[in-house]
């Protein structure tokens, strides 16, 4: 089985099985699962699945951050659950908060599936500009015409793509939504003058590249669809339902909903222009600083229509996307800095891979896997993004295509219809470099300083390795009481030696009657439990020779017990040695997993957040 299958199996187990899944889809980095009952979801189990960077639980959807491999996980997950179309969610009481989530979910579910089209069109436009600017591509050549056709089709037929996606999101036949979109952009209707329907004058509206008119039309189509399902006999529904639906929806959209959507779009554009005009470069800085928080809450999805409307109407976006450029690369740079300062191998690997994808423009793995758990990294990112975003606003940076901003999207800052690259591209590069440097430097040096202050503190604030062998995460221990952290935070060792040495300097507070456990209280007041083996209490102390007594004072590295590993294994018990902090308000930071030398610093004891 593939690793994607293993991830899917782990998620399905934690989600409560396929009976708790109503629907599943995915975006660029997240698996999005609509669930029946959130009480059946074990978020802790899913968060520990190898390959899961983070999770977000909402009233109507559970989002699992995978990264750019999410498509492969989605395919495996879909195979496991099969057809779940008949499952329904238990009714929830309506609230205004729920309404906001529904709106954002509708926008996200509609726009996310078409982003691939817009990204492809935008990058083809960038390739076209590079060809003209650097390789002398003639604007009259067939090559130019074909590439330009790909770009133009991506935006010109936007109502068709949105109609399909919105109808699918509303559980209608998506082809009917596409049909409505195609009707709006048809040559005799789009921008037509003097058009009338049954004596009513049809307003002249340009629907190609528009956004809101088709969304209103599809929402109205949903109402008609529900009504037709109730009144149309099954025997004639196949041909009467689509016929009557289109005969009603198209005129209503052209006469009222389309013009209303156009006016709403105009108001939104004017509002953005007002904000940008009144706040100036500060508005772009705020967008940059707040973007990581918007991604955490999922409300960044609501910005897609604004970006699309801006690019469609004036050919570029100078507000949202430039701010996101500063934010995205700042997120990635901060994660890379974390990868260089953390001592835990798993966190180092996660931060490295998430950092690379972050500076390329995909930030969810870094935000949910690294920043959300690291205040220094998050605040450094927001500060760097705010400063760099303000700079982008000050120099009026423009992005000419809808692509998640990052290194990979730099060509979309080229506008080369004049045959040469203007200063906008170089300003984008400067903004990117500025954000990366500020974010990386702040995260790296502040983290280093904090870690150094911990490392240089009294030695009894550290926990040291008490026995030779490989240090593993507490979550990997084959005992739920310890692996779930019910006793406390800590680590474990797969031992290759008999000698057990004190991991702190302090006093022996407890020796178990069965000799399998020793309690210590460090001179700084930290309470530590050393548990020798799993279920070894059943051996009545035979494998253990305790070298200390309750009340004895020991120094770090003093021999406190001898453990007969061979005897433990012969009795078919697990000899894993477990070291935990038994106080619930204490946790172990910067764990050096993989260490195998007695006396190595495994982590620092700090107060839990």
């Amino acid at each position: 089985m593939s690793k994607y299958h293993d991830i899917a199996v782990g998620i399905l187990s934690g989600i409560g099985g396929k009976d708790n899944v109503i629907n599943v889809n995915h975006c660029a980095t997240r698996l999005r699962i609509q669930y029946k009952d959130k009480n059946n979801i074990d978020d802790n189990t899913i968060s520990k699945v190898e390959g899961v960077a983070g999770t977000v639980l909402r009233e109507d959807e559970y989002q699992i951050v995978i990264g750019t491999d999410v498509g492969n996980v989605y395919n495996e997950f879909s195979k496991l659950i099969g057809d779940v179309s008949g499952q329904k969610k238990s009714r929830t009481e309506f609230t205004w908060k729920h309404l906001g989530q529904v709106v954002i979910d509708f926008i996200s579910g509609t726009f996310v599936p078409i982003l691939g089209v817009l990204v492809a069109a935008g990058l083809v436009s960038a390739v076209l500009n590079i060809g003209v600017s650097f390789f002398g591509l003639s604007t009259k050549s067939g090559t130019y015409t074909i590439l330009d056709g790909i770009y133009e089709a991506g935006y010109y037929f936007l109502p068709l793509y949105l109609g399909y996606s919105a109808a699918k999101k509303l559980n209608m036949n998506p082809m009917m939504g596409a049909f409505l979109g195609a009707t709006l952009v048809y040559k005799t209707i789009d921008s037509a003058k003097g058009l009338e329907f049954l004596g009513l004058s049809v307003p002249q509206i340009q629907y190609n590249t528009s956004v809101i008119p088709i969304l209103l039309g599809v929402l109205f189509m949903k109402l008609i669809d529900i009504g037709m399902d109730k009144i149309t006999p099954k025997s004639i529904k196949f041909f009467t339902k689509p016929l009557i639906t289109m005969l009603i929806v198209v005129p209503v959209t052209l006469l009222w909903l389309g013009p209303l959507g156009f006016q709403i779009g105009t108001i939104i554009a004017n509002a953005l222009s007002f904000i940008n005009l009144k706040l100036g470069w500060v508005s772009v800085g705020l967008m940059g600083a707040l973007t990581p928080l918007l991604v955490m809450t999922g409300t960044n999805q609501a910005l897609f229509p604004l970006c699309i409307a801006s690019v469609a109407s004036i050919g570029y976006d100078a507000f949202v996307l430039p701010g996101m450029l500063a934010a995205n690369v700042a997120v990635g740079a901060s994660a890379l800095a974390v990868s260089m300062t953390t001592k835990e191998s798993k966190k180092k690997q996660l931060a490295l891979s998430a950092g690379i994808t972050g500076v390329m423009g995909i930030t969810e793995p870094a935000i949910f896997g690294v920043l959300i758990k690291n205040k220094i990294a998050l605040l450094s990112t927001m500060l760097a993004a705010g400063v760099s975003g303000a700079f982008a606003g000050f120099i009026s940076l423009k992005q000419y295509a809808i692509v998640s901003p990052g290194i990979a999207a730099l060509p979309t800052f080229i506008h080369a219809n004049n045959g040469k690259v203007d200063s906008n591209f170089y300003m984008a590069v400067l903004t990117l470099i500025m954000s990366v440097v500020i974010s990386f430097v702040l995260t790296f040096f502040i983290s280093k300083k904090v870690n150094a202050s911990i490392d240089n503190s009294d030695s009894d604030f550290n926990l040291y390795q008490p026995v030779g062998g490989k240090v593993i995460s507490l979550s990997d221990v084959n005992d739920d009481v310890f692996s779930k952290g019910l006793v406390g935070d800590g680590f474990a060792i797969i031992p290759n030696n008999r000698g057990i040495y004190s991991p702190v300097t302090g006093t022996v507070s407890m020796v178990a009657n069965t000799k399998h456990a020793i309690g210590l209280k460090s001179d700084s007041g930290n309470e530590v439990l050393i548990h020798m083996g799993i279920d070894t209490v059943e051996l009545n102390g035979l494998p253990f020779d305790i070298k200390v007594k309750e009340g004895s004072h020991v120094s770090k590295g003093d021999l406190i017990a001898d453990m007969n590993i061979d005897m433990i294994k012969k009795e078919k018990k697990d000899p894993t040695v477990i070291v935990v902090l038994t106080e619930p308000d204490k946790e172990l930071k910067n764990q050096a997993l993989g260490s195998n030398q007695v006396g190595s610093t495994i982590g620092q004891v700090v107060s839990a957040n």
Side-chain angles (χ1 to χ4, degrees):
M1 295 294 181
S2 68
K3 67 175 182 178
Y4 306 118
H5 176 81
D6 294 339
I7 295 173
V9 169
I11 292 173
L12 185 59
S13 175
I15 204 73
K18 67 178 183 180
D19 291 338
N20 198 37
V21 178
I22 298 175
N23 188 33
V24 60
N25 54 46
H26 71 91
C27 58
T29 59
R30 305 185 199 186
L31 191 68
R32 297 168 176 266
I33 301 174
Q34 288 182 299
Y35 57 85
K36 184 184 297 183
D37 186 352
K38 69 178 180 180
N39 294 320
N40 292 333
I41 299 175
D42 187 345
D43 185 68
N44 187 52
T45 295
I46 295 176
S47 298
K48 292 180 180 179
V49 172
E50 189 74 28
V52 171
T55 61
V56 180
L57 180 61
R58 294 182 176 169
E59 285 297 326
D60 55 356
E61 188 178 66
Y62 186 60
Q63 299 179 5
I64 304 169
V65 183
I66 304 295
T68 52
D69 282 339
V70 67
N72 295 316
V73 176
Y74 167 80
N75 292 336
E76 294 295 330
F77 190 83
S78 298
K79 293 176 185 177
L80 292 174
I81 64 173
D83 183 11
V84 294
S85 57
Q87 309 218 100
K88 295 181 179 180
K89 182 179 177 67
S90 56
R91 297 187 64 180
T92 56
E93 184 178 350
F94 173 80
T95 63
W96 287 109
K97 178 181 178 181
H98 183 64
L99 175 62
Q101 292 174 339
V102 169
V103 172
I104 291 176
D105 178 64
F106 173 67
I107 293 174
S108 172
T110 299
F111 282 89
V112 167
I114 71 165
L115 287 181
V117 174
L118 301 180
V119 168
L123 291 178
V124 166
S125 173
V127 170
L128 197 64
N129 290 337
I130 292 172
V132 172
S133 302
F134 297 105
F135 299 99
L137 179 63
S138 171
T139 57
K140 297 180 180 179
S141 67
T143 301
Y144 182 92
T145 299
I146 292 174
L147 292 178
D148 186 60
I150 297 173
Y151 165 65
E152 294 291 347
Y155 287 92
Y156 186 90
F157 296 107
L158 186 58
L160 192 153
Y161 311 137
L162 286 172
Y164 181 96
S165 184
K168 186 176 181 180
K169 177 63 181 175
L170 295 173
N171 296 317
M172 291 190 295
N173 181 354
M175 286 298 180
M176 294 301 293
F179 191 7
L180 177 61
T183 303
L184 295 182
V185 300
Y186 189 66
K187 60 183 179 181
T188 58
I189 294 179
D190 187 30
S191 302
K193 296 181 179 180
L195 198 63
E196 59 88 22
F197 181 79
L198 298 179
L200 298 174
S201 177
V202 177
Q204 181 183 355
I205 302 293
Q206 182 178 350
Y207 288 110
N208 68 74
T209 71
S210 67
V211 174
I212 299 179
I214 183 63
L215 297 182
L216 295 181
V218 172
L219 287 170
F220 179 64
M221 180 183 286
K222 177 63 176 179
L223 297 178
I224 301 300
D225 185 78
I226 294 173
M228 292 297 295
D229 271 337
K230 292 181 178 179
I231 65 175
T232 308
K234 291 183 179 180
S235 58
I236 62 173
K237 182 180 292 187
F238 178 75
F239 58 88
T240 58
K241 181 181 175 182
L243 170 64
I244 297 174
T245 297
M246 292 303 289
L247 288 178
I248 295 174
V249 173
V250 171
V252 170
T253 301
L254 291 176
L255 289 168
W256 297 292
L257 297 180
L260 175 62
F262 180 80
Q263 291 300 322
I264 292 174
T266 301
I267 291 172
I268 292 174
N270 290 338
L272 289 176
S273 298
F274 177 80
I275 293 173
N276 203 231
L277 180 65
K278 290 297 182 181
L279 296 180
W281 50 269
V282 175
S283 64
V284 185
L286 288 173
M287 178 59 65
L290 295 176
T291 290
L293 301 182
L294 296 177
V295 173
M296 288 180 188
T297 58
T299 48
N300 63 310
Q301 311 286 356
L303 299 176
F304 290 145
L306 308 182
C307 300
I308 294 172
S310 179
V311 172
S313 61
I314 60 177
Y316 61 82
D317 175 39
F319 179 25
V320 176
L321 293 177
M324 285 186 170
L325 171 67
N328 289 355
V329 296
V331 167
S334 184
L336 290 174
V338 170
S339 74
M340 299 181 67
T341 56
T342 186
K343 296 180 181 179
E344 297 183 46
S345 58
K346 287 186 178 180
K347 287 185 178 180
K348 185 182 292 289
Q349 293 172 6
L350 173 62
L352 179 61
S353 61
I356 293 173
T357 57
V359 295
M360 298 302 288
I362 304 297
T363 60
E364 279 90 343
I367 288 176
F368 288 98
V370 181
L371 269 63
I372 202 170
K373 307 170 185 176
N374 189 318
K375 293 180 180 178
I376 293 174
L378 177 59
L379 294 176
S380 297
T381 294
M382 293 177 66
L383 178 59
V387 172
S388 303
F391 173 76
F394 181 76
I395 52 107
S396 299
L397 186 65
K398 304 176 181 67
Q399 186 167 346
Y400 295 99
I402 308 297
V403 181
S404 182
I407 293 176
L410 279 176
T412 61
F413 289 87
I414 299 175
H415 187 256
N417 289 338
N418 56 3
K420 63 179 182 179
V421 178
D422 59 19
S423 61
N424 189 76
F425 172 74
Y426 299 111
M427 290 298 100
V429 174
L430 182 57
T431 300
L432 186 150
I433 294 174
M434 178 187 301
S435 186
V436 166
V437 170
I438 295 175
S439 181
F440 184 90
V441 168
L442 285 176
T443 304
F444 184 85
F445 284 104
I446 294 177
S447 297
K448 278 286 189 181
K449 186 174 181 179
V450 170
N451 290 340
S453 65
I454 294 175
D455 290 339
N456 292 330
S457 61
D458 292 339
S459 62
D460 53 34
F461 282 97
N462 297 331
L463 279 188
Y464 299 91
Q465 184 168 340
V467 61
K470 182 180 179 181
V471 175
I472 62 173
S473 172
L474 204 59
S475 62
D476 294 331
V477 172
N478 189 27
D479 186 317
D480 287 346
V481 173
F482 289 106
S483 64
K484 292 182 178 180
L486 300 181
V487 178
D489 194 18
F491 62 96
I493 310 100
I494 301 174
N496 59 16
N497 206 302
R498 299 171 56 120
I500 306 295
Y501 300 85
S502 177
V504 297
T505 295
T507 303
V508 177
S509 58
M510 181 274 295
V511 175
N513 292 333
T514 51
K515 303 180 182 180
H516 72 289
I518 299 175
L520 299 164
K521 186 170 185 177
S522 73
D523 288 345
S524 60
N526 296 316
E527 296 179 3
V528 181
L529 174 68
I530 301 176
H531 194 281
M532 295 174 283
I534 297 174
D535 294 332
T536 49
V537 64
E538 300 171 5
L539 302 181
N540 295 315
L542 292 177
F544 308 107
D545 179 13
I546 306 301
K547 307 293 185 180
V548 293
K549 297 180 181 179
E550 289 187 19
S552 301
H553 190 273
V554 295
S555 298
K556 184 267 290 185
D558 285 351
L559 181 66
I560 58 176
D562 180 86
M563 180 177 69
N564 192 327
I565 299 176
D566 293 334
M567 183 184 296
I568 293 174
K569 290 181 177 179
K570 186 177 180 180
E571 295 296 328
K572 297 182 179 180
K573 302 296 183 182
D574 187 338
T576 299
V577 176
I578 302 164
V579 182
V580 293
L581 299 163
T582 56
E583 297 169 286
D585 62 339
K586 296 293 178 66
E587 61 183 28
L588 193 64
K589 287 292 188 181
N590 302 316
Q591 295 188 32
L593 302 181
S595 174
N596 57 19
Q597 185 175 353
V598 175
S600 296
T601 302
I602 303 303
Q604 293 78 39
V605 181
V606 298
S607 297
N609 293 326

